[in-house]
Amino acid sequence: MSGSNSRIERFLNSLRENLTEGNYYEGHQELRAVASRFVKQKKHDRAIQFLYLGALELCQYNQWGSVADLSTFMINIYIEEKIPVTLENKERVYDILEKLSQATEYYPRVYESAIQWTVAEMGGVGDPQMHHFVGCVLRNKGRYQEAEQHFLVGTPESPGALGTMLAEWALKTDATDYGLFVARGVLKYLALGWYEAACFCWRGFITRISSALPDKVSERTDNASLASKIGPVYYVSAPHVLVNFVQLLLLAVERADGNPGSDVTRIFDSLRQKYVGSFGVNADTVHKLMDLIAEKYFGVVVQRQQSLFDL
């Protein structure tokens, strides 16, 4: 064992003694003080390793406030020292986040810091894998609205996961039309210009809904002209008519030619006029998303002031 590792092990043994005796606050403060000394000595690798291992020790005693504090300290070192977004560095964060997910109160503080680190290093919205991981953990905790925001900017696996999650969310509510849920994902992916993601989101949703509501969902096999990139075409009976709207919108976008005067653009306009008002209190948001879709796929230029992520 190297000198640095043996020193860290001595500190960890001292921490374990404090924790075993129930001296959680003292253990936390000692760990923080030692890590601060490492930082002042420019021994950032040691500080990171010590904070990570110390946080794992505290997880065993459900000291989630202390775990969140030490994890945030570690991630702040990542940010201040411009630590690269590598698999090894992310796995420390994943490990802690997975355990910390038991503590709803503290979880956002840590994952928001982790996202900030990846944004600082990579630009844009940060690391897609980090977003996907956070989205999966939040989904498993039933925090669907928060998970949605991360899946929207995640990996190629995220759209399917989002679609399945939106179906799970819908099935746990008393909503009269489950199309309100799938529209959340599909319309935003389309507005971002990511048609394939919108299709994967749709498939994840309709696969789960068709298995849960076999009496409401039937596959259309009578019209070969409906063959599509979205997969099998379904008919969903009332009251879930907005599910049909989302599917028809995907079919229209697939056939879009960027010509505002074409037949398919007129179909798009017809869908908009017929269905968007059915979104109730969400109609204004859907109108804005449809404006973005009209511009990206149908050649219709619409003046707008809001960002997609304000919707």
Side-chain angles (χ1 to χ4, degrees):
M1 182 181 292
S2 68
S4 62
N5 286 340
S6 62
R7 188 180 181 193
I8 287 176
E9 190 59 35
R10 284 199 304 273
F11 286 134
L12 287 174
N13 285 334
S14 175
L15 172 65
R16 292 182 187 114
E17 288 178 12
N18 273 316
L19 297 181
T20 300
E21 295 170 3
N23 299 322
Y24 306 126
Y25 178 79
E26 290 80 357
H28 175 194
Q29 292 304 310
E30 180 183 5
L31 203 159
R32 224 182 187 289
V34 173
S36 295
R37 286 203 297 272
F38 282 145
V39 170
K40 288 179 181 178
Q41 296 166 3
K42 305 296 183 184
K43 297 175 181 177
H44 300 106
D45 289 346
R46 289 191 195 178
I48 288 169
Q49 186 72 354
F50 189 53
L51 288 165
Y52 166 63
L53 294 174
L56 294 183
E57 292 288 342
L58 284 157
C59 285
Q60 298 179 48
Y61 295 87
N62 297 332
Q63 296 299 300
W64 304 120
S66 295
V67 172
D69 177 67
L70 298 172
S71 304
T72 305
F73 189 173
M74 181 188 78
I75 295 168
N76 284 340
I77 296 174
Y78 278 9
I79 296 171
E80 291 167 9
E81 298 304 317
K82 302 187 184 303
I83 302 297
V85 182
T86 63
L87 180 58
E88 179 184 5
N89 292 329
K90 286 192 291 185
E91 282 184 339
R92 293 191 192 98
V93 178
Y94 293 160
D95 198 6
I96 293 170
L97 283 175
E98 198 164 49
K99 295 175 174 60
L100 190 62
S101 64
Q102 301 175 53
T104 304
E105 179 182 357
Y106 299 105
Y107 192 73
R109 174 182 169 189
V110 179
Y111 80 67
E112 287 169 6
S113 294
I115 296 296
Q116 288 172 8
W117 161 55
T118 69
V119 169
E121 288 302 302
M122 301 175 67
V125 296
D127 181 56
Q129 291 179 339
M130 182 68 73
H131 280 291
H132 184 77
F133 179 89
V134 170
C136 288
V137 174
L138 290 170
R139 169 191 171 181
N140 291 338
K141 299 299 292 182
R143 297 170 68 169
Y144 300 127
Q145 193 164 359
E146 293 169 75
E148 174 187 10
Q149 299 306 311
H150 294 284
F151 282 138
L152 284 169
V153 290
T155 67
E157 290 73 36
S158 297
L162 175 58
T164 304
M165 184 199 80
L166 291 170
E168 292 171 356
W169 188 3
L171 290 166
K172 290 181 179 179
T173 72
D174 57 0
T176 56
D177 193 331
Y178 291 164
L180 293 166
F181 292 85
V182 67
R184 296 178 68 100
V186 170
L187 268 65
K188 287 181 179 178
Y189 280 130
L190 290 176
L192 287 166
W194 195 2
Y195 176 73
E196 291 77 9
C199 291
F200 281 122
C201 182
W202 163 257
R203 288 178 206 158
F205 178 87
I206 199 64
T207 298
R208 179 72 181 87
I209 289 295
S210 61
S211 65
L213 303 173
D215 58 326
K216 294 286 186 182
V217 183
S218 57
E219 185 177 342
R220 292 285 302 276
T221 58
D222 57 327
N223 192 337
S225 68
L226 292 176
S228 167
K229 292 179 182 177
I230 70 174
V233 174
Y234 295 88
Y235 173 73
V236 184
S237 60
H240 306 291
V241 295
L242 289 178
V243 178
N244 295 321
F245 158 70
V246 171
Q247 180 174 233
L248 290 169
L249 176 61
L250 284 168
L251 292 170
V253 169
E254 182 179 345
R255 291 158 173 75
D257 56 7
N259 179 357
S262 68
D263 288 343
V264 72
T265 300
R266 284 191 283 274
I267 291 172
F268 169 81
D269 289 338
S270 176
L271 288 172
R272 182 173 190 165
Q273 291 171 14
K274 180 177 180 179
Y275 288 104
V276 171
S278 300
F279 282 89
V281 296
N282 298 306
D284 285 347
T285 296
V286 174
H287 270 301
K288 292 181 175 72
L289 289 169
M290 292 291 277
D291 282 347
L292 290 164
I293 294 167
E295 183 172 313
K296 285 186 179 296
Y297 299 99
F298 298 94
V300 178
V301 179
V302 181
Q303 290 186 343
R304 62 184 185 276
Q305 295 179 339
Q306 279 185 298
S307 160
L308 169 61
F309 293 99
D310 293 330
L311 302 178

PDB file of all heavy atoms in Angstrom, residues 191 288 291-292 295-296 300-308:
ATOM      1  N   ALA A 191     -40.234  19.060 -31.611  1.00  0.00           N
ATOM      2  CA  ALA A 191     -39.856  20.475 -31.571  1.00  0.00           C
ATOM      3  C   ALA A 191     -38.341  20.648 -31.538  1.00  0.00           C
ATOM      4  O   ALA A 191     -37.810  21.649 -32.016  1.00  0.00           O
ATOM      5  CB  ALA A 191     -40.494  21.160 -30.369  1.00  0.00           C
ATOM      6  N   LYS A 288     -47.619  26.340 -28.883  1.00  0.00           N
ATOM      7  CA  LYS A 288     -46.240  26.803 -29.069  1.00  0.00           C
ATOM      8  C   LYS A 288     -45.349  25.684 -29.613  1.00  0.00           C
ATOM      9  O   LYS A 288     -44.485  25.924 -30.466  1.00  0.00           O
ATOM     10  CB  LYS A 288     -45.692  27.351 -27.744  1.00  0.00           C
ATOM     11  CG  LYS A 288     -46.369  28.643 -27.283  1.00  0.00           C
ATOM     12  CD  LYS A 288     -45.768  29.154 -25.991  1.00  0.00           C
ATOM     13  CE  LYS A 288     -46.349  30.509 -25.585  1.00  0.00           C
ATOM     14  NZ  LYS A 288     -47.735  30.402 -25.113  1.00  0.00           N
ATOM     15  N   ASP A 291     -46.108  25.248 -33.214  1.00  0.00           N
ATOM     16  CA  ASP A 291     -45.445  26.293 -34.009  1.00  0.00           C
ATOM     17  C   ASP A 291     -44.028  25.865 -34.379  1.00  0.00           C
ATOM     18  O   ASP A 291     -43.586  26.029 -35.525  1.00  0.00           O
ATOM     19  CB  ASP A 291     -45.379  27.603 -33.218  1.00  0.00           C
ATOM     20  CG  ASP A 291     -46.707  28.357 -33.193  1.00  0.00           C
ATOM     21  OD1 ASP A 291     -47.601  28.008 -33.981  1.00  0.00           O
ATOM     22  OD2 ASP A 291     -46.834  29.289 -32.371  1.00  0.00           O
ATOM     23  N   LEU A 292     -43.298  25.338 -33.394  1.00  0.00           N
ATOM     24  CA  LEU A 292     -41.928  24.884 -33.641  1.00  0.00           C
ATOM     25  C   LEU A 292     -41.902  23.727 -34.633  1.00  0.00           C
ATOM     26  O   LEU A 292     -41.041  23.655 -35.518  1.00  0.00           O
ATOM     27  CB  LEU A 292     -41.272  24.464 -32.323  1.00  0.00           C
ATOM     28  CG  LEU A 292     -40.943  25.590 -31.348  1.00  0.00           C
ATOM     29  CD1 LEU A 292     -40.683  25.035 -29.951  1.00  0.00           C
ATOM     30  CD2 LEU A 292     -39.737  26.378 -31.825  1.00  0.00           C
ATOM     31  N   GLU A 295     -42.524  24.897 -38.187  1.00  0.00           N
ATOM     32  CA  GLU A 295     -41.344  25.529 -38.786  1.00  0.00           C
ATOM     33  C   GLU A 295     -40.298  24.505 -39.199  1.00  0.00           C
ATOM     34  O   GLU A 295     -39.725  24.588 -40.291  1.00  0.00           O
ATOM     35  CB  GLU A 295     -40.756  26.532 -37.808  1.00  0.00           C
ATOM     36  CG  GLU A 295     -39.558  27.292 -38.370  1.00  0.00           C
ATOM     37  CD  GLU A 295     -39.124  28.423 -37.445  1.00  0.00           C
ATOM     38  OE1 GLU A 295     -39.986  29.178 -36.991  1.00  0.00           O
ATOM     39  OE2 GLU A 295     -37.914  28.519 -37.176  1.00  0.00           O
ATOM     40  N   LYS A 296     -40.064  23.515 -38.341  1.00  0.00           N
ATOM     41  CA  LYS A 296     -38.991  22.550 -38.610  1.00  0.00           C
ATOM     42  C   LYS A 296     -39.316  21.597 -39.748  1.00  0.00           C
ATOM     43  O   LYS A 296     -38.428  21.195 -40.503  1.00  0.00           O
ATOM     44  CB  LYS A 296     -38.670  21.744 -37.348  1.00  0.00           C
ATOM     45  CG  LYS A 296     -37.876  22.521 -36.305  1.00  0.00           C
ATOM     46  CD  LYS A 296     -37.450  21.645 -35.148  1.00  0.00           C
ATOM     47  CE  LYS A 296     -36.645  22.443 -34.127  1.00  0.00           C
ATOM     48  NZ  LYS A 296     -35.367  22.937 -34.683  1.00  0.00           N
ATOM     49  N   VAL A 300     -43.281  26.343 -42.332  1.00  0.00           N
ATOM     50  CA  VAL A 300     -44.109  27.467 -41.867  1.00  0.00           C
ATOM     51  C   VAL A 300     -43.308  28.280 -40.859  1.00  0.00           C
ATOM     52  O   VAL A 300     -42.909  27.770 -39.812  1.00  0.00           O
ATOM     53  CB  VAL A 300     -45.409  26.959 -41.209  1.00  0.00           C
ATOM     54  CG1 VAL A 300     -46.236  28.132 -40.698  1.00  0.00           C
ATOM     55  CG2 VAL A 300     -46.206  26.111 -42.187  1.00  0.00           C
ATOM     56  N   VAL A 301     -43.040  29.535 -41.155  1.00  0.00           N
ATOM     57  CA  VAL A 301     -42.246  30.385 -40.278  1.00  0.00           C
ATOM     58  C   VAL A 301     -43.165  31.072 -39.275  1.00  0.00           C
ATOM     59  O   VAL A 301     -44.135  31.733 -39.658  1.00  0.00           O
ATOM     60  CB  VAL A 301     -41.466  31.450 -41.074  1.00  0.00           C
ATOM     61  CG1 VAL A 301     -40.669  32.339 -40.134  1.00  0.00           C
ATOM     62  CG2 VAL A 301     -40.540  30.769 -42.079  1.00  0.00           C
ATOM     63  N   VAL A 302     -42.861  30.893 -37.991  1.00  0.00           N
ATOM     64  CA  VAL A 302     -43.677  31.464 -36.922  1.00  0.00           C
ATOM     65  C   VAL A 302     -42.780  32.292 -36.014  1.00  0.00           C
ATOM     66  O   VAL A 302     -41.718  31.832 -35.584  1.00  0.00           O
ATOM     67  CB  VAL A 302     -44.360  30.360 -36.094  1.00  0.00           C
ATOM     68  CG1 VAL A 302     -45.224  30.977 -34.999  1.00  0.00           C
ATOM     69  CG2 VAL A 302     -45.193  29.462 -36.996  1.00  0.00           C
ATOM     70  N   GLN A 303     -43.175  33.515 -35.718  1.00  0.00           N
ATOM     71  CA  GLN A 303     -42.412  34.335 -34.779  1.00  0.00           C
ATOM     72  C   GLN A 303     -42.646  33.829 -33.364  1.00  0.00           C
ATOM     73  O   GLN A 303     -43.773  33.520 -32.985  1.00  0.00           O
ATOM     74  CB  GLN A 303     -42.843  35.804 -34.873  1.00  0.00           C
ATOM     75  CG  GLN A 303     -42.423  36.475 -36.162  1.00  0.00           C
ATOM     76  CD  GLN A 303     -42.732  37.960 -36.155  1.00  0.00           C
ATOM     77  OE1 GLN A 303     -43.511  38.433 -35.347  1.00  0.00           O
ATOM     78  NE2 GLN A 303     -42.105  38.692 -37.059  1.00  0.00           N
ATOM     79  N   ARG A 304     -41.566  33.732 -32.603  1.00  0.00           N
ATOM     80  CA  ARG A 304     -41.711  33.258 -31.228  1.00  0.00           C
ATOM     81  C   ARG A 304     -40.644  33.906 -30.357  1.00  0.00           C
ATOM     82  O   ARG A 304     -39.589  34.321 -30.836  1.00  0.00           O
ATOM     83  CB  ARG A 304     -41.583  31.734 -31.157  1.00  0.00           C
ATOM     84  CG  ARG A 304     -40.225  31.208 -31.620  1.00  0.00           C
ATOM     85  CD  ARG A 304     -40.208  29.682 -31.605  1.00  0.00           C
ATOM     86  NE  ARG A 304     -38.898  29.179 -31.935  1.00  0.00           N
ATOM     87  CZ  ARG A 304     -38.454  29.022 -33.173  1.00  0.00           C
ATOM     88  NH1 ARG A 304     -39.236  29.326 -34.199  1.00  0.00           N
ATOM     89  NH2 ARG A 304     -37.239  28.566 -33.407  1.00  0.00           N
ATOM     90  N   GLN A 305     -40.905  33.929 -29.050  1.00  0.00           N
ATOM     91  CA  GLN A 305     -39.982  34.538 -28.103  1.00  0.00           C
ATOM     92  C   GLN A 305     -39.486  33.543 -27.068  1.00  0.00           C
ATOM     93  O   GLN A 305     -38.419  33.707 -26.507  1.00  0.00           O
ATOM     94  CB  GLN A 305     -40.670  35.703 -27.385  1.00  0.00           C
ATOM     95  CG  GLN A 305     -41.030  36.842 -28.319  1.00  0.00           C
ATOM     96  CD  GLN A 305     -41.732  37.969 -27.589  1.00  0.00           C
ATOM     97  OE1 GLN A 305     -42.291  37.790 -26.519  1.00  0.00           O
ATOM     98  NE2 GLN A 305     -41.721  39.156 -28.172  1.00  0.00           N
ATOM     99  N   GLN A 306     -40.273  32.485 -26.814  1.00  0.00           N
ATOM    100  CA  GLN A 306     -39.908  31.562 -25.766  1.00  0.00           C
ATOM    101  C   GLN A 306     -38.961  30.468 -26.253  1.00  0.00           C
ATOM    102  O   GLN A 306     -39.010  30.047 -27.397  1.00  0.00           O
ATOM    103  CB  GLN A 306     -41.165  30.884 -25.182  1.00  0.00           C
ATOM    104  CG  GLN A 306     -41.897  31.736 -24.169  1.00  0.00           C
ATOM    105  CD  GLN A 306     -43.043  30.957 -23.560  1.00  0.00           C
ATOM    106  OE1 GLN A 306     -43.940  30.566 -24.269  1.00  0.00           O
ATOM    107  NE2 GLN A 306     -42.999  30.752 -22.264  1.00  0.00           N
ATOM    108  N   SER A 307     -38.124  29.980 -25.342  1.00  0.00           N
ATOM    109  CA  SER A 307     -37.308  28.794 -25.595  1.00  0.00           C
ATOM    110  C   SER A 307     -38.169  27.564 -25.362  1.00  0.00           C
ATOM    111  O   SER A 307     -39.119  27.572 -24.578  1.00  0.00           O
ATOM    112  CB  SER A 307     -36.117  28.782 -24.630  1.00  0.00           C
ATOM    113  OG  SER A 307     -35.574  27.486 -24.515  1.00  0.00           O
ATOM    114  N   LEU A 308     -37.825  26.472 -26.029  1.00  0.00           N
ATOM    115  CA  LEU A 308     -38.513  25.201 -25.816  1.00  0.00           C
ATOM    116  C   LEU A 308     -38.517  24.813 -24.360  1.00  0.00           C
ATOM    117  O   LEU A 308     -39.505  24.302 -23.823  1.00  0.00           O
ATOM    118  CB  LEU A 308     -37.854  24.101 -26.656  1.00  0.00           C
ATOM    119  CG  LEU A 308     -38.283  22.649 -26.374  1.00  0.00           C
ATOM    120  CD1 LEU A 308     -39.769  22.491 -26.637  1.00  0.00           C
ATOM    121  CD2 LEU A 308     -37.479  21.680 -27.211  1.00  0.00           C
TER     122      LEU A 308
END
